[in-house]
Amino acid sequence: MFKAEVYIKRREELRKKMKKGLGLFLGNVESPMNYPANTYHFRQDSDFLYYFGLDLPGFAAIMDFDTGRDTIFGNDFDMDDIIWMGPQPTVRELASKTGVTETSPVAKLEETVSQALSKKRKVHFLPPYRGETKMTLGAILKENPCMMKTLASIDLIKAVVSMRSIKGDEEIAEIEKAVAIARDMHVTAMQMCKPGIREQEIFGAIEGIALSKGAGTSFPVILSMNGQTLHNHSHDNILKKGRMMVTDAGAETIMHYSSDITRTTPVGGKFSDIQKDIYEIVLKANTESINATRPGLSNRDLHFLACKIIATGLKEIGLMKGDSEEAVKAGAHALFMPHGLGHMMGLDVHDMEALGENYVGYNDEIKRSDQFGLAFLRFALQYVPGHVFTVEPGCYFIPELIEKWKADRKFTDFINYSKIDKYMQVGGVRIEDDVLITAKGHKLLGKPIPKTVKEIEAVCS
Ligand code: GLY
Ligand code: MN
């Protein structure tokens, strides 16, 4: 946990934004995997972590925005718990770590909320994303659990998003630690990327690094020589020369701050000419986009910049044609890069996605497009100091999509379908880094992770 002052200050700021009513925060509970006592790895809710820091199952909190009283709801361990799980601090001791003096058993939560509702006070809560939380909220609020997302407080969502979007120094230090773990994971993956090895072995090795140095991975590792599938979670292949392995993997620190890094390595550690053709284009999109980031620019503009670099590069090697700016405007480049440039990152790897992507990445002025490719851009807003986000351009040869567009004669003014065959074996290339917006420009987070052709070939040898 951070010092109590960090959480006290965050709650003070939230109180100023909300002014009235109650804020009801449910921490996560243990979730059974295959029978009740065999639970999934416990992950605390990120908003609960942000405002209260307590990283244990079964806690809740109420902030009374009118009176300024905060209460932690939790149950002290009884003897049975201690026998099986060892001694634990009391709820009062835990609450004091987050600067809260009032505590109450969980059983009192429903009564406290009911009293507020009977006085017609507004109870604000955030949209739940787990069945257990929906059920508990439904029971406490006496509402249909299926309606909990719809009934969540937009005022509270907006207040929380406005705070969590701007990272404090203590958060940035954590994210840097998470990138350092990711660096070890990626260097190991590059060194293991040899013909004959099963992807699963590399997957296991780098997941082990994340677990041995932090709280594990920040999302299920994506690792495959079939990188043309953007989020490939199957690791069954035996690596073959001629293919490229996409590794999209990040770590969570013990405090649950994330990193999210992607590197693409040629199997065997040496780039062929066609691999280099595509790799250099994506690398240029990655480095030039990162170099352009500064306060005031929007992430949507950065997305267009990266797409234009991809389209221009693909034109130079004959895969695209015509005016690159026009091609990007029309969405033709999305055949090769059908995703957004990146997303905010923090306590969640897709930060605050549970609160609603459009509250996090869009506002009343910048609305989400429905154009194929651009529609997947999660974060489009103007940068301000304290924003942390990923920059992850890619270029993919997705057989099904290429076949469909070719049959539909889509964007024939911009795409040379007859030239694509030669590059199909490249599969996919993605290069991702984590960036912070500073007062004057930006900072690439963490120590550099091998990225140029020369650096990757050196690590692999
Ligand atoms: N690293 C996975 C993603 O950004 O979706
Ligand atoms: Mn990412």
Side-chain angles (χ1 to χ4, degrees), residues 76-123:
D76 281 325
F77 264 33
D78 63 18
M79 190 50 74
D80 280 356
D81 298 323
I82 292 168
I83 289 167
W84 289 99
M85 294 184 293
Q88 287 288 323
T90 62
V91 173
R92 193 160 282 284
E93 284 162 348
L94 289 167
S96 77
K97 291 187 184 200
T98 185
V100 173
T101 49
E102 302 209 26
T103 62
S104 190
V106 175
K108 290 265 184 208
L109 190 58
E110 189 175 341
E111 188 185 316
T112 311
V113 171
S114 294
Q115 277 174 7
L117 290 174
S118 69
K119 290 180 193 151
K120 303 268 181 283
R121 297 187 66 199
K122 169 95 180 150
V123 177

Side-chain angles (χ1 to χ4, degrees), residues 14-15 17-26 47 51-52 60-66 109 112-113 116-117 120-128 137 140-141 148-160 355:
L14 184 61
R15 204 169 286 122
K17 286 176 187 281
M18 294 302 295
K19 296 187 185 76
K20 287 181 82 59
L22 294 191
L24 170 61
F25 295 87
L26 295 188
D47 296 301
Y51 290 106
F52 301 96
I62 286 185
M63 289 181 69
D64 188 322
F65 297 126
D66 295 85
L109 190 58
T112 311
V113 171
L117 290 174
K120 303 268 181 283
R121 297 187 66 199
K122 169 95 180 150
V123 177
H124 300 269
F125 60 92
L126 296 169
L137 273 175
I140 293 173
L141 296 161
M148 289 299 112
K149 211 170 151 193
T150 318
L151 295 175
S153 162
I154 292 171
D155 289 344
L156 185 60
I157 292 172
K158 287 185 172 172
V160 171
L355 301 181

Side-chain angles (χ1 to χ4, degrees), residues 409-427:
R409 301 193 52 72
K410 251 184 115 147
F411 297 122
T412 44
D413 290 346
F414 296 119
I415 297 166
N416 279 323
Y417 286 101
S418 62
K419 299 277 169 67
I420 297 179
D421 259 8
K422 174 179 161 195
Y423 286 96
M424 290 305 290
Q425 58 184 294
V426 172

Side-chain angles (χ1 to χ4, degrees), residues 219 231 248 260-262 341-343 345 349-350 378 390-392 430 432 434:
F219 60 94
H231 280 182
D248 183 345
D260 186 5
I261 301 286
T262 306
L341 185 62
H343 48 86
M345 199 188 74
V349 70
H350 288 179
R378 297 190 152 94
T390 66
V391 176
E392 47 181 309
R430 179 161 67 250
E432 175 178 28
D434 303 335

